Amino acid sequence: MNGFDGVVSSRRGFLGLAGGSAALLALGSAPAQAARVKTAARVVILGAGAAGTALANRLVTRLEGAEITLLDARKQHLYQPGFTLIAAGLKPAGYSVSATKDWLPQGVTLIEEAAAGIDPVAKTVTSTGGTVLGYDFLVVATGLKLDYDAIPGMSLDLIGSDGVGSVYAGPEHAAKTWEAMDKFTSEGGVGLFSRPATEMKCAGAPLKYTFLTDDYAVRKGTRDKVEIKYLAHNKAFFSVPIVSEKLRMLFGERRIQTAFDHVLIALDPGRRIATFQTPEGPKEEGYDFINVIPPMRAPDVVRASGLSWADKWTDQGWIEVDKGTLRHARFPEVFGLGDICGVPKGKTAASVKWMVPVVEDHLVAQIEGKEGTQVYNGYTSCPLITRIGKAMLVEFDYNDNLTPSFPGVIAPLEELWISWLMKEIALKPTYNAMLRGKA
Ligand SMILES: Cc1cc2nc3c(=O)[nH]c(=O)nc-3n(C[C@H](O)[C@H](O)[C@H](O)COP(=O)(O)OP(=O)(O)OC[C@H]3O[C@@H](n4cnc5c(N)ncnc54)[C@H](O)[C@@H]3O)c2cc1C
């Protein structure tokens, strides 16, 4: 059995993060019980989000004597899949917030500063406080930057007022987005929903919020005075063709108007006008509510480090890793993990769950002078909420193959209550188990 088969079969045995449940907690792919590897290696991890925290927890159980240092200036850990529920008025802002340090094991040194410089040739990282850290292994897990500045007229201060929402900006902003969406679905008008043309985390989230807004208007009896428009950035609603087609049908049934090739490029909050780039040139759309989702890029420090792809995603700066091993193409002691990776799919926490054991495997094998065997197959998943109490559990890989965790039990393209429960109830405990390195 090669490494790829191993990953696939273990995935079938367990559940994807989005399909998480108690079974995952019991059976999940916790670090192997092999003898700990003795080493004095210096491992530096940039970012204590979903990916960095999960890896740190697993490495302390695999390595004995290693110096593991984690850098992150953010004292709060944010459970981002909760933002959609907060923005739908179903959870309070605090639902997504915990303390970063509470997730970290003994044996990991947390430096509460960001990386300000990365020199992969000298093998050093410089923190914002000026500390220079040498490393033997570097794991870049910085997540991504929400580039609100790329939309003239948009500012985080606007969120919650004058019909401006943004589910992505953080838990407090998600709560303010709920206030704006609640008002809109009570009073009526035009609601605009779109996604950026860059790669993005959780590409399902813009769609979920469109459906949730429709559902609220239906429940409030205001649907006839609410116009909902979903403006896709290219010629599809989703990267997987069969899912895109299902969405086309659902949008039609729900009277959600659609257009292709529309990318938000400017906002005039005073006039409540959004400008979209289209093949015919800039086009203005009036709104009473808009869910602004900005372009997403690698953080500046990563883009300046020389670790990004030189010939792909040049406006976005994702790092140049092998899509199977997540090892950097030019610096073998550097790995990418999570949203920062320049791979064709996988900007979800569900992907992180399957990426972490792969990086762990190759990093530990390299310390031992061996070859790692695990391969990331692009697994990602999206519990695509279609109304309160219903979701489609869409799971797929690099090749757009649907990869259901529960074949024959949960149909990926059906709107099911059980799939809703996965998102609303099971996902957070499963995510937390992943953070602890237990799943
Ligand atoms: C609205 C929304 C809904 C979502 N829904 C789902 C869902 O239903 N299912 C799902 O699986 N996923 C979902 N996701 C995606 C998921 O949250 C991310 O893919 C996941 O958090 C990625 O993990 P990460 O560690 O790469 O990045 P993050 O979790 O974002 O962590 C990155 C960390 O790096 C730190 N950092 C940044 N710059 C630096 C620096 N210079 N130095 C040091 N540290 C730095 C940050 O402070 C942060 O703590 C959703 C995301 C959003 C926003």
Side-chain angles (χ1 to χ4, degrees):
M1 183 172 74
N2 62 28
F4 184 82
D5 291 338
V7 170
V8 171
S9 61
S10 74
R11 204 190 65 69
R12 291 217 176 96
F14 312 123
L15 313 173
L17 181 61
S21 76
L24 185 142
L25 306 185
L27 300 173
S29 53
Q33 293 301 306
R36 292 175 81 200
V37 174
K38 288 196 175 138
T39 176
R42 296 162 304 164
V43 181
V44 173
I45 303 173
L46 305 183
T53 301
L55 182 71
N57 272 293
R58 294 174 74 104
L59 286 183
V60 284
T61 69
R62 293 292 308 277
L63 301 176
E64 188 179 332
E67 203 179 287
I68 303 172
T69 308
L70 193 49
L71 265 81
D72 199 321
R74 201 169 66 191
K75 293 184 168 47
Q76 292 182 326
H77 184 95
L78 299 181
Y79 169 64
Q80 299 168 47
F83 293 1
T84 317
L85 300 174
I86 297 166
L90 299 169
K91 302 282 182 195
Y95 174 72
S96 280
V97 183
S98 57
T100 298
K101 63 177 172 37
D102 288 353
W103 297 104
L104 298 180
Q106 286 197 335
V108 171
T109 304
L110 173 66
I111 298 180
E112 289 182 327
E113 294 173 29
I118 305 168
D119 184 339
V121 176
K123 298 189 192 174
T124 59
V125 169
T126 305
S127 74
T128 43
T131 306
V132 179
L133 297 163
Y135 64 80
D136 300 304
F137 294 94
L138 176 69
V139 180
V140 183
T142 55
L144 50 74
K145 168 177 152 178
L146 297 169
D147 195 0
Y148 284 98
D149 291 344
I151 304 172
M154 176 59 190
S155 141
L156 293 181
D157 302 338
L158 296 170
I159 297 171
S161 60
D162 291 327
V164 178
S166 187
V167 177
Y168 274 71
E172 297 297 338
H173 291 107
K176 288 183 179 172
T177 299
W178 160 239
E179 287 170 24
M181 190 262 259
D182 189 31
K183 187 166 186 289
F184 164 65
T185 48
S186 296
E187 295 176 356
V190 176
L192 299 182
F193 300 82
S194 63
R195 60 150 284 173
T198 59
E199 301 291 322
M200 66 179 298
K201 53 183 162 187
C202 196
L207 299 154
K208 296 174 207 177
Y209 207 59
T210 312
F211 284 121
L212 282 164
T213 305
D214 164 69
D215 194 31
Y216 268 106
V218 170
R219 284 162 191 265
K220 289 178 179 180
T222 56
R223 189 61 180 88
D224 285 341
K225 54 181 188 172
V226 163
E227 219 180 301
I228 297 181
K229 298 185 182 178
Y230 184 82
L231 307 165
H233 73 295
N234 61 12
K235 292 194 173 8
F237 299 120
F238 203 78
S239 64
V240 181
I242 191 169
V243 180
S244 182
E245 176 56 17
K246 175 74 185 186
L247 288 164
R248 187 191 65 74
M249 288 162 59
L250 287 176
F251 280 150
E253 282 168 19
R254 310 265 159 97
R255 292 186 293 143
I256 293 169
Q257 300 169 38
T258 55
F260 291 129
D261 295 317
H262 279 55
V263 179
L264 179 65
I265 52 169
L267 204 66
D268 182 341
R271 291 164 58 227
R272 293 197 178 199
I273 297 283
T275 306
F276 290 83
Q277 189 65 54
T278 74
E280 292 77 43
K283 182 175 156 198
E284 293 191 342
E285 293 271 352
Y287 65 83
D288 298 283
F289 176 74
I290 182 167
N291 180 29
V292 176
I293 306 182
M296 302 188 195
R297 309 184 201 283
D300 297 344
V301 62
V302 175
R303 297 184 73 180
S305 68
L307 291 172
S308 304
W309 285 94
D311 56 354
K312 286 186 202 171
W313 298 295
T314 49
D315 61 329
Q316 296 162 56
W318 312 116
I319 74 170
E320 186 182 359
V321 291
D322 177 86
K323 69 179 193 172
T325 64
L326 307 178
R327 184 194 298 279
H328 199 274
R330 288 173 279 120
F331 300 99
E333 60 290 326
V334 177
F335 292 87
L337 191 55
D339 292 349
I340 191 65
C341 291
V343 295
K345 293 255 178 347
K347 294 197 190 324
T348 65
S351 307
V352 167
K353 183 199 175 316
W354 298 105
M355 289 175 159
V356 168
V358 172
V359 170
E360 173 197 341
D361 177 54
H362 288 273
L363 195 154
V364 174
Q366 198 168 336
I367 287 174
E368 293 181 291
K370 297 179 186 164
E371 287 278 320
T373 54
Q374 297 226 19
V375 176
Y376 173 61
N377 73 352
Y379 175 87
T380 194
S381 93
C382 175
L384 223 166
I385 297 168
T386 53
R387 61 177 78 225
I388 295 171
K390 289 276 166 69
M392 300 189 295
L393 185 52
V394 180
E395 300 168 90
F396 50 97
D397 63 14
Y398 279 142
N399 299 319
D400 289 342
N401 295 317
L402 293 180
T403 53
S405 287
F406 310 89
V409 181
I410 297 186
L413 297 179
E414 272 180 38
E415 297 177 78
L416 300 172
W417 179 69
I418 182 79
S419 300
W420 160 263
L421 289 185
M422 297 294 174
K423 168 81 182 178
E424 220 260 338
I425 299 194
L427 186 56
K428 192 174 180 194
T430 311
Y431 175 96
N432 289 348
M434 176 186 81
L435 287 186
R436 295 256 183 243
K438 304 260 186 251

